[in-house]
Amino acid sequence: MPLVGVIAEHLGTHSGVDMSFDSLVLALVLFILARVFRHGTALRDDLEGTV
């Protein structure tokens, strides 16, 4: 199952404000990945500007 499907299924089974430890870890990982990809994009753009 693709990652998006796993996330959608996980979010669909939890309603309200009842957040488990798994949900918090998933949110943290997603925020970290977003920062990593943003930084990678900035590095790629910087490299293209120097060549």
Side-chain angles (χ1 to χ4, degrees):
M1 182 179 286
L3 180 62
V4 175
V6 172
I7 293 170
E9 180 181 340
H10 184 70
L11 292 176
T13 58
H14 291 83
S15 60
V17 288
D18 181 30
M19 291 186 64
S20 66
F21 179 72
D22 293 338
S23 299
L24 294 174
V25 170
L26 177 63
L28 181 64
V29 167
L30 290 176
F31 280 116
I32 290 171
L33 282 175
R35 279 194 68 133
V36 166
F37 281 111
R38 188 181 324 138
H39 185 68
T41 303
L43 288 175
R44 183 181 61 209
D45 291 342
D46 187 41
L47 180 65
E48 287 178 5
T50 58
V51 174

